[in-house]
Amino acid sequence: GVDQSLLLLFVLILSTTIPVLILATAVTIRQNTEAQLRTAQDHLQRRVEQTTSALSTAKHHFQILLEGVEDHAIFALDAAGKVVSWNSAALQFLGYTAQEMMGLHFEVFYRQEDRFTGEPSRTLRAATQKSKHQVEGWRVRKDGSLFFVTGSVSSIRDPAGNLVGFANVLRDLTE
């Protein structure tokens, strides 16, 4: 009688208490994990902000450096050969503003006969294969006048080795 009732009461108490304890433990573990994740997220956010700030500063310094070069047109192309950056010497040599050039293919600087024979494509292919390709020849300014250049087109690759674009450096040797 009484022993069996006590045993039943004990089993009933255990069966209602243990799930509550397990649930409380699980909630505590989840709260601790969420707190750790929030701390890690805050840390990563600070790192992203620091990296973004450092990148912005580096880009600004690089642009100042590019603008300081007055005897070489320096511009970057995407992997398809379209202009993505332009220094002030490029404006002086070629006559196009940066706004006019953004997104245009660099073949606009080539004479019609050179475009017809595929010279711009060969230049990019050679720069892709050899990392750097020396160029020399006549180019066309915005106003249609010709000028003679020497320089190079270099491939730009990401850390995994994938082609992301080209750096084009030209010097006007017309005089």
Side-chain angles (χ1 to χ4, degrees):
V2 173
D3 287 342
Q4 198 173 19
S5 295
L6 284 175
L7 181 61
L8 190 58
L9 182 61
F10 180 70
V11 168
L12 182 63
I13 290 171
L14 279 180
S15 65
T16 57
T17 307
I18 289 179
V20 170
L21 291 174
I22 291 172
L23 184 60
T25 302
V27 166
T28 301
I29 290 171
R30 180 183 170 132
Q31 289 171 338
N32 288 342
T33 302
E34 287 175 350
Q36 289 172 345
L37 286 173
R38 276 191 300 277
T39 300
Q41 184 180 19
D42 292 344
H43 175 72
L44 286 173
Q45 184 62 36
R46 282 192 302 280
R47 292 287 308 268
V48 165
E49 289 168 2
Q50 291 168 348
T51 302
T52 301
S53 175
L55 178 61
S56 176
T57 299
K59 283 174 70 175
H60 180 70
H61 289 159
F62 183 69
Q63 193 61 40
I64 290 170
L65 176 70
L66 278 182
E67 292 305 320
V69 177
E70 296 175 0
D71 57 346
H72 287 78
I74 302 172
F75 50 97
L77 309 172
D78 66 13
K82 293 181 180 176
V83 174
V84 295
S85 77
W86 192 251
N87 78 340
S88 56
L91 166 64
Q92 299 304 315
F93 286 14
L94 296 156
Y96 294 93
T97 66
Q99 292 78 12
E100 290 173 307
M101 283 313 304
M102 291 305 126
L104 287 183
H105 197 277
F106 88 119
E107 71 183 7
V108 300
F109 314 132
Y110 283 79
R111 296 179 303 173
Q112 185 66 37
E113 56 267 31
D114 294 332
R115 287 195 302 252
F116 183 74
T117 61
E119 184 61 29
S121 297
R122 277 195 304 279
T123 296
L124 295 183
R125 242 188 338 273
T128 301
Q129 292 167 351
K130 300 185 298 187
S131 294
K132 185 175 188 176
H133 176 67
Q134 298 300 320
V135 295
E136 182 177 286
W138 291 100
R139 298 296 182 268
V140 182
R141 290 189 174 93
K142 180 181 177 182
D143 66 9
S145 63
L146 295 177
F147 66 109
F148 194 82
V149 300
T150 184
S152 65
V153 178
S154 301
S155 60
I156 302 170
R157 299 187 178 276
D158 67 14
N162 301 308
L163 180 69
V164 294
F166 301 92
N168 201 330
V169 179
L170 300 176
R171 182 171 187 152
D172 183 353
L173 293 183
T174 307
E175 296 174 14

